[in-house]
């Protein structure tokens, strides 16, 4: 016997009304919680690779990846600063201060290893380092997956992009896919290399000659398309290596003491302050450091021995470094914060 049978029509209507209110409100609740974590993009792209990149873009900008939900990858890697930060040491969760200067990110496919001391051999592995770092995000990747497990937007995108739920595999792969789209190759220097003879003015051309000269030797370490040969060197820039002894922390080899990855110089105009500890504030001061020959420490490369530079040459060298700024890269919509769209 159906209990509804005994109910007056009015009451049935009332029940139906209640039911639909619950359905509607639970829908809107779902909608709400989805919007809290993620705002849906207007269009989800069709092809799988674009879906992987889009998922990585959301995760890169999502503060839910840190223990107290205050810090995302993008907090320390900001597009406007060449995906570096504008402070010597970035703040992690609960405003904890880190111990190294955030590296600028671009053309990462070319890099054979990552971090100032080369501690990460691949980008996928690198993702785990800031997540686990007690001063940065301090959230285990399994906890990230758990935290986002109820987020329909992420789960849907993970299924589309990788045919599996949002697990550590998907998180590391998609963030890496997004990072691989950080291509900086439209600076004025690139235009010059691509045959536009008017891309650089006379002063910048003088600066370029100086950069590649035997006298200054910059290109003996900062060579190739990202202006690094990826070697580990000491350039004598820092007065105190005691707090951070560089690559020896990884290899325990005395010959690696106080050595750091030669950093890329792409977009260095906007990625100040400089060096692994952020101790040099401006490009002017960087050039003065190299001209002076730097600190007298045993590990310093013999390529750093100082040089004379006229005021005109100094400003030309700095002007050349500024031609490595890629405005398109620094403002490109596809690399920007998707939560603000
Ligand atoms: C609290 C600030 C902070 C956060 C958050 C952060 N990073 Fe970093 N990142 C840094 C610092 C500092 C370094 C250099 C650290 C070192 O060398 O030991 C770095 C280095 C890197 C590098 C190496 C670049 C190179 O040229 O070797 C990559 C790639 C990177 N971060 C990606 C990420 C990703 C992806 C996330 C999010 C999962 C993230 N970072 C979160 C500060 C941060
Ligand atoms: C012996 C190799 C070597 C030579 C030669 C060299 N550099 Fe460097 N450069 C480095 C290393 C290593 C660092 C990072 C040092 C650190 O973090 O302690 C660096 C850092 C820099 C930075 C800061 C980048 C950043 O993101 O923090 C700039 C700018 C720079 N060099 C420009 C130059 C210029 C200009 C010259 C020529 C006058 C030059 N370098 C010559 C190895 C070298």
């Amino acid at each position: 016997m159906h209990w509804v049978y005994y109910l007056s029509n009015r009451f049935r209507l009332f029940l139906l009304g209640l039911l639909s209110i619950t359905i509607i409100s639970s829908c809107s609740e779902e909608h709400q919680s989805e919007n809290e974590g993620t705002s849906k993009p207007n269009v989800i792209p069709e092809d799988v690779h674009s879906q992987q990149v889009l998922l990585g873009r959301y995760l890169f900008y999502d503060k839910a990846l840190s223990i107290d939900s205050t810090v995302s990858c993008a907090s320390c890697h900001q597009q406007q600063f060449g995906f570096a930060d504008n402070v010597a040491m970035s703040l992690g969760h609960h405003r904890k201060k880190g111990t190294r200067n955030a590296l600028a990110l671009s053309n990462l496919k070319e890099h054979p290893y990552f971090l100032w001391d080369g501690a990460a051999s691949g980008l996928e592995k690198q993702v785990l380092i800031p997540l686990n770092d007690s001063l940065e995000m301090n959230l285990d990747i399994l906890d990230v997956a758990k935290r986002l497990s109820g987020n329909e937007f992420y789960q849907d995108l993970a299924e589309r992009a990788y045919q599996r739920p949002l697990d550590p595999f998907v998180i590391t792969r998609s963030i890496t896919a997004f990072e691989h789209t950080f291509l900086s190759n439209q600076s004025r220097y690139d235009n010059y290399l691509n045959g536009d003879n008017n891309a650089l003015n006379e002063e910048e051309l003088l600066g370029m000659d100086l950069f590649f000269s035997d006298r200054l030797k910059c290109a003996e370490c900062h060579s190739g398309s990202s202006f690094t040969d990826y070697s580990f060197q000491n350039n004598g820039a820092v007065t105190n290596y005691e707090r951070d002894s560089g690559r020896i922390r990884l290899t325990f080899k005395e010959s690696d003491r106080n050595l750091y990855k030669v950093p890329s110089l792409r977009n260095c105009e906007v990625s100040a302050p400089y060096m692994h500890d952020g101790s040099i504030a401006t490009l002017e001061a960087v050039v003065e450091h190299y001209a002076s020959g730097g600190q007298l420490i045993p590990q310093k490369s013999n390529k750093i021995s100082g040089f004379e530079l006229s005021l005109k040459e100094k400003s030309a060298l700095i002007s050349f470094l500024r031609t490595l700024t890629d405005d398109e890269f620094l403002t490109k919509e596809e690399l920007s914060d998707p939560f603000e769209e």
Side-chain angles (χ1 to χ4, degrees):
M1 203 196 310
H2 283 280
W3 54 274
V4 184
Y5 183 77
Y6 290 100
L7 299 175
S8 71
N9 268 347
R10 266 185 96 109
F11 193 45
R12 271 161 62 192
L13 273 178
F14 172 63
L15 270 188
L16 265 177
L18 261 190
L19 197 67
S20 50
I21 287 171
T22 344
I23 290 171
I24 290 167
S25 65
S26 72
C27 283
S28 68
E29 243 169 47
E30 238 168 53
H31 193 68
Q32 229 180 1
S33 66
E34 195 171 84
N35 273 348
E36 261 170 34
T38 41
S39 60
K40 263 197 170 141
N42 298 335
V43 209
I44 292 198
E46 284 295 316
D47 72 292
V48 170
H49 179 251
S50 307
Q51 289 165 353
Q52 297 175 341
V53 170
L54 183 70
L55 175 57
R57 181 176 168 206
Y58 273 93
L59 291 170
F60 190 87
Y61 281 95
D62 198 335
K63 293 183 172 146
L65 270 64
S66 61
I67 186 138
D68 61 349
S69 299
T70 59
V71 174
S72 68
C73 306
S75 305
C76 305
H77 298 287
Q78 300 180 35
Q79 184 181 16
Q80 56 176 322
F81 305 131
F83 289 102
D85 202 352
N86 64 344
V87 293
M89 309 283 171
S90 315
L91 296 181
H93 71 97
H94 295 103
R95 305 186 59 77
K96 282 182 194 288
K97 213 175 190 178
T99 55
R100 282 183 181 166
N101 186 242
L103 278 153
L105 310 179
S106 72
N107 305 351
L108 295 172
K109 252 188 194 163
E110 295 171 17
H111 293 228
Y113 60 80
F114 301 93
L115 304 178
W116 282 108
D117 51 17
S121 56
L123 259 192
E124 285 87 357
K125 286 187 204 147
Q126 194 284 326
V127 173
L128 301 174
I129 293 175
L131 284 176
N132 279 310
D133 192 312
S134 64
L135 298 176
E136 296 189 358
M137 304 168 101
N138 199 21
L139 192 60
D140 190 90
I141 194 159
L142 289 169
D143 293 327
V144 174
K146 210 183 288 165
R147 193 183 264 197
L148 299 177
S149 62
N151 185 310
E152 279 188 22
F153 169 73
Y154 276 136
Q155 295 302 340
D156 175 45
L157 204 48
E159 281 298 335
R160 286 168 189 252
Y162 294 94
Q163 290 80 53
R164 52 198 286 172
L166 191 83
D167 57 11
F169 177 92
V170 172
I171 295 169
T172 53
R173 295 313 184 279
S174 60
I175 291 181
T176 300
F178 177 55
E179 287 177 307
H180 278 159
T181 67
F182 293 6
L183 297 178
S184 180
N185 52 21
Q186 311 227 27
S187 67
R188 285 196 294 118
Y189 174 71
D190 292 304
N191 297 343
Y192 175 79
L193 284 190
N194 291 333
D196 177 358
N197 288 331
N198 299 322
L200 304 187
N201 65 29
E202 219 171 286
E203 192 195 25
E204 291 158 350
L205 290 170
L206 170 63
M208 183 175 82
D209 288 343
L210 286 165
F211 186 90
F212 290 102
S213 69
D214 286 342
R215 176 150 70 100
L216 272 62
K217 298 192 177 61
C218 310
E220 292 195 20
C221 297
H222 298 285
S223 61
S225 79
S226 280
F227 291 84
T228 163
D229 62 0
Y230 302 107
S231 62
F232 295 96
Q233 305 282 345
N234 181 289
N235 70 351
V238 177
T239 41
N240 180 4
Y241 288 96
E242 255 145 49
R243 271 191 350 177
D244 184 340
S245 49
R247 188 159 162 78
I248 191 175
R249 297 209 303 192
L250 189 74
T251 63
F252 302 108
K253 280 202 260 171
E254 197 45 47
S255 55
D256 284 332
R257 182 177 293 283
N258 301 341
L259 301 195
Y260 297 88
K261 176 183 190 175
V262 175
S264 164
L265 299 183
R266 285 192 170 269
N267 302 297
C268 67
E269 178 183 10
V270 296
S271 70
Y274 305 104
M275 308 305 158
H276 70 275
D277 61 352
S279 58
I280 300 192
T282 61
L283 285 178
E284 283 78 1
V286 170
V287 170
E288 278 158 18
H289 148 69
Y290 283 112
S292 77
Q295 312 293 323
L296 283 175
I297 67 153
Q299 296 81 16
K300 190 177 72 175
S301 161
N302 58 15
K303 290 169 185 149
I304 313 279
S305 52
F307 44 79
E308 294 276 332
L309 210 57
S310 71
L311 279 180
K312 184 181 170 203
E313 289 174 324
K314 183 178 161 190
S315 83
L317 179 60
I318 295 164
S319 298
F320 170 66
L321 293 173
R322 293 196 176 121
T323 69
L324 307 180
T325 306
D326 180 347
D327 292 323
E328 160 83 9
F329 175 70
L330 301 176
T331 53
K332 206 174 177 186
E333 177 86 42
E334 300 88 68
L335 302 181
S336 69
D337 186 349
F339 296 105
E340 284 186 357
E341 257 179 15

